[in-house]
Amino acid sequence: MIFPKELLIEALFNEYVWLCHDDYDPDVDIAPEDYLTMLKDMTYDELVEETQTDEEFTLDEFVKGYGSN
């Protein structure tokens, strides 16, 4: 399934915020706002790769879990 680029960015950003919620280290981790900027500069294929999805954890599951739709 092909998802809009904006939805992939949103889902990746939401995942990052969730992952940083309890374990954010400003000395190691990129600030969420900077991560969002980085995501916006990525191509569609780079965004898909960033999700680290595969046959077991699909892109569809990723978007359903972290996207707003």
Side-chain angles (χ1 to χ4, degrees):
M1 176 174 248
I2 301 292
F3 294 96
K5 183 176 178 179
E6 295 77 18
L7 184 56
L8 288 180
I9 291 170
E10 177 185 310
L12 282 162
F13 180 72
N14 289 343
E15 177 199 37
Y16 189 75
V17 169
W18 181 80
L19 290 171
C20 288
H21 183 265
D22 291 331
D23 196 29
Y24 179 73
D25 181 352
D27 294 330
V28 177
D29 300 318
I30 185 172
E33 298 80 19
D34 294 335
Y35 185 66
L36 181 58
T37 299
M38 185 180 81
L39 292 173
K40 289 178 179 179
D41 290 338
M42 290 179 153
T43 66
Y44 186 86
D45 290 338
E46 290 170 330
L47 291 168
V48 171
E49 187 174 324
E50 185 77 5
T51 66
Q52 298 181 353
T53 54
D54 55 25
E55 292 81 29
E56 290 184 35
F57 181 56
T58 66
L59 187 58
D60 186 54
E61 291 171 317
F62 181 85
V63 170
K64 284 181 182 176
Y66 294 108
S68 65
N69 295 343

